[in-house]
Amino acid sequence: MTKIVTRLIILGILTTFCVGVMILSVIFINQLGIQDGYIINIAGKERMLTQKITKEIFLINSQNSQDYTALNLALEEFENNLNTLRFGNPQKNINPPTKTTIITKLEAITTQWTHFKTIVEDFKSTSSKLYEDRKFLDENNIKMLFLSDNIVKAMVESKMPAHLIDDSGRQRMLTQRMAYLMTRYFHIWDDKSYRAFKESHTLYHTIITNFYQNANYKHFPKLDKSIQEAYEFWQTYSKHIDNVLSLQEHIVEDLKQITSQNTAILNEIDWTVNLYSDISIYQRAYLEKFQYVAAFIMILLGFYSIYNLLNIRAHLGRFLQKTKLLASGKLNQNLTEAIQLEGESELSQASQNLSHFLQSLEQTKETSKQAIHLSELISEEIRHKLAFAKISEERRKSIEDSINLSEDIAIQSSEQLIITARLLDKLHRILKEIESCC
């Protein structure tokens, strides 16, 4: 049987170990949950930023704006978050990824992001150029309408034929139609609007050119002046239109690529977020299973502890029963055998030690009896010889007093046996002295 102290130490060590494992696992799960939640939040924010970047681009394009503040902040935040996911961030207690799947996926996202950012930067550069041309067209459309209207008025005042006045009215209308179709094309990029705009542009150019090249109008100074002013301004206005169309086509291609790349990078990031979530769920499930195993082991330790406590209690009961028998003295068998317990536990060893002690007491008791018996024999012999000894009364009284010492011998312990031995030795010397006197 294993010693009681050994069993208690083993139980204490195992219980401490299991409790420590449970506490550490709970702490680790909490820390892992915090880190996973932060990482998943960052990855999820990347999804939002892709949409925000695309939204800002379309707003800038539709509003012909030069304010890139929100767009630049979104680009910077996306790149910083991507670097955090790839390389970690010690300040935020985020470790770099270790799983090959995540590393590969983040590398793919980085490649797509590099291409996406290149297109965005190209859009910003082209948009800045487009802004100036569109601003010129917006600001001077009224002037173009005013110059065209002057031609119509001059035609009417010069009493030109109706079909010529109709042509002048058409060119006035075309200035607004071109502005409308251009704005429509900028917003929906449809081929129908573009073709209609080009037709209006060509028709206006044809009409104003015919007016400018018609020598008959030179006989009407006011009309000729109105035509020249409108034609000259149209040359400048038309160049800005050509620039806008060219830049807008470039921007439309950029926007189409941004739309396509936005969808692709969004799908990659969405897949990565789901992967992070699955890994987090798997790790938490694994740690929870580990906790269940540790809890099951603790339950087993609890049952084992109860078993050992009951065993120790039974052992103590038997030991107390033996000590009660020892205290009562009501034994019909050998005392050392009656109190002895079998086994290797501390109580068994204590019982064995007590049995050995009692055995020593028995031996001491027997030795004491033998010493007392021997003392009585020597005292009788001394008294017998003293009766025939020729000594003085004083000496005889002294010897009798010494003989009476044997009556005080009471051996109760090993120390008393030593005193008894000394007294017996003294009596033995007295006996020799009496013999020498006889």
Side-chain angles (χ1 to χ4, degrees):
M1 182 180 294
T2 307
K3 292 183 177 181
I4 295 174
V5 174
T6 304
R7 280 181 286 175
L8 293 176
I9 291 174
I10 292 173
L11 284 173
I13 292 174
L14 291 177
T15 303
T16 303
F17 175 76
C18 288
V19 171
V21 168
M22 290 285 287
I23 294 174
L24 291 176
S25 63
V26 170
I27 295 174
F28 182 73
I29 287 175
N30 291 336
Q31 292 297 322
L32 184 65
I34 293 172
Q35 188 180 69
D36 288 347
Y38 195 76
I39 291 175
I40 292 172
N41 177 56
I42 292 176
K45 198 171 185 180
E46 293 291 78
R47 288 186 300 190
M48 178 274 293
L49 289 172
T50 60
Q51 305 311 295
K52 184 177 181 180
I53 291 170
T54 305
K55 180 203 72 174
E56 293 296 332
I57 289 172
F58 277 82
L59 284 175
I60 290 171
N61 179 68
S62 63
Q63 297 174 359
N64 191 32
S65 172
Q66 284 286 88
D67 185 8
Y68 300 111
T69 304
L71 176 60
N72 291 333
L73 289 175
L75 290 170
E76 183 180 0
E77 185 176 4
F78 184 95
E79 194 154 11
N80 291 336
N81 289 343
L82 183 58
N83 289 333
T84 298
L85 293 175
R86 292 179 63 197
F87 308 112
N89 190 334
Q91 296 179 350
K92 297 180 179 179
N93 196 27
I94 298 177
N95 300 319
T98 56
K99 293 188 177 296
T100 307
T101 308
I102 293 181
I103 294 174
T104 304
K105 186 59 65 175
L106 290 176
E107 291 296 329
I109 292 174
T110 302
T111 302
Q112 291 183 343
W113 166 250
T114 303
H115 181 56
F116 182 78
K117 187 178 179 182
T118 302
I119 299 173
V120 172
E121 293 298 332
D122 183 71
F123 165 81
K124 289 166 63 179
S125 176
T126 306
S127 179
S128 297
K129 297 175 183 178
L130 179 64
Y131 172 79
E132 298 299 330
D133 289 316
R134 288 185 63 179
K135 182 179 179 182
F136 177 85
L137 295 177
D138 292 340
E139 291 177 350
N140 290 278
N141 180 258
I142 300 300
K143 182 178 180 180
M144 193 70 203
L145 175 62
F146 175 77
L147 293 174
S148 297
D149 187 60
N150 287 341
I151 294 175
V152 176
K153 291 178 180 180
M155 286 259 186
V156 173
E157 290 178 1
S158 301
K159 298 181 180 181
M160 291 293 165
H163 70 279
L164 294 177
I165 296 176
D166 181 59
D167 287 341
S168 65
R170 183 179 290 110
Q171 61 88 31
R172 181 178 57 184
M173 177 273 297
L174 289 173
T175 60
Q176 302 309 297
R177 181 169 175 78
M178 283 189 294
Y180 158 70
L181 291 173
M182 184 181 295
T183 303
R184 177 183 172 86
Y185 173 67
F186 287 163
H187 283 82
I188 61 177
W189 317 332
D190 62 322
D191 293 337
K192 182 179 178 181
S193 298
Y194 181 75
R195 288 194 301 268
F197 170 79
K198 292 297 289 184
E199 290 174 359
S200 299
H201 179 275
T202 302
L203 181 58
Y204 182 88
H205 181 73
T206 301
I207 293 173
I208 195 66
T209 302
N210 289 336
F211 284 167
Y212 180 76
Q213 294 176 350
N214 192 330
N216 294 328
Y217 296 144
K218 297 187 182 297
H219 300 292
F220 303 94
K222 185 175 180 181
L223 176 60
D224 183 58
K225 182 181 179 182
S226 297
I227 291 174
Q228 286 187 5
E229 289 178 351
Y231 180 79
E232 290 174 358
F233 187 75
W234 168 250
Q235 301 305 310
T236 303
Y237 195 82
S238 179
K239 288 181 180 179
H240 283 283
I241 289 176
D242 292 338
N243 289 337
V244 166
L245 292 176
S246 176
L247 293 173
Q248 186 64 30
E249 288 180 2
H250 192 122
I251 284 182
V252 167
E253 291 301 318
D254 284 344
L255 292 176
K256 288 180 179 179
Q257 291 187 58
I258 288 171
T259 302
S260 175
Q261 283 295 114
N262 172 66
T263 302
I265 198 171
L266 176 62
N267 291 335
E268 291 289 343
I269 295 175
D270 189 62
W271 193 92
T272 305
V273 173
N274 292 332
L275 180 61
Y276 273 119
S277 299
D278 292 341
I279 292 174
S280 177
I281 292 172
Y282 173 79
Q283 289 179 339
R284 290 184 66 87
Y286 176 79
L287 290 173
E288 287 175 357
K289 290 180 181 178
F290 181 78
Q291 283 186 321
Y292 293 148
V293 172
F296 179 72
I297 293 175
M298 289 188 68
I299 292 173
L300 292 180
L301 285 174
F303 285 119
Y304 183 66
S305 300
I306 293 173
Y307 167 76
N308 278 280
L309 290 174
L310 293 176
N311 193 12
I312 293 171
R313 179 183 177 185
H315 218 57
L316 284 172
R318 291 196 298 271
F319 183 78
L320 290 174
Q321 185 178 4
K322 297 292 184 179
T323 55
K324 287 179 180 180
L325 290 174
L326 178 62
S328 64
K330 298 177 181 180
L331 296 172
N332 297 324
Q333 54 180 325
N334 190 340
L335 184 61
T336 59
E337 294 179 359
I339 67 168
Q340 191 170 6
L341 291 174
E342 296 181 356
E344 298 179 359
S345 67
E346 285 81 353
L347 294 177
S348 299
Q349 292 181 358
S351 177
Q352 292 173 5
N353 293 335
L354 184 58
S355 178
H356 293 158
F357 173 71
L358 290 176
Q359 187 175 1
S360 300
L361 288 180
E362 289 292 333
Q363 292 176 356
T364 302
K365 184 178 179 181
E366 292 296 328
T367 304
S368 176
K369 289 181 180 179
Q370 292 177 3
I372 293 173
H373 179 68
L374 180 60
S375 175
E376 291 176 351
L377 292 176
I378 293 173
S379 297
E380 291 297 329
E381 185 178 355
I382 291 174
R383 286 190 177 94
H384 176 72
K385 290 185 177 183
L386 187 62
F388 300 97
K390 297 178 180 180
I391 57 176
S392 63
E393 287 298 326
E394 184 180 354
R395 181 59 176 166
R396 184 187 300 276
K397 186 177 180 181
S398 176
I399 292 173
E400 287 180 354
D401 290 340
S402 297
I403 292 173
N404 291 333
L405 288 175
S406 62
E407 297 176 358
D408 297 329
I409 298 175
I411 302 173
Q412 297 179 358
S413 62
S414 58
E415 288 83 2
Q416 290 175 329
L417 289 176
I418 294 173
I419 296 173
T420 302
R422 290 176 180 176
L423 292 175
L424 292 175
D425 182 63
K426 183 176 180 180
L427 290 174
H428 182 66
R429 289 198 305 270
I430 294 172
L431 180 61
K432 284 186 178 181
E433 184 177 350
I434 293 172
E435 286 180 351
S436 63
C437 294
C438 292

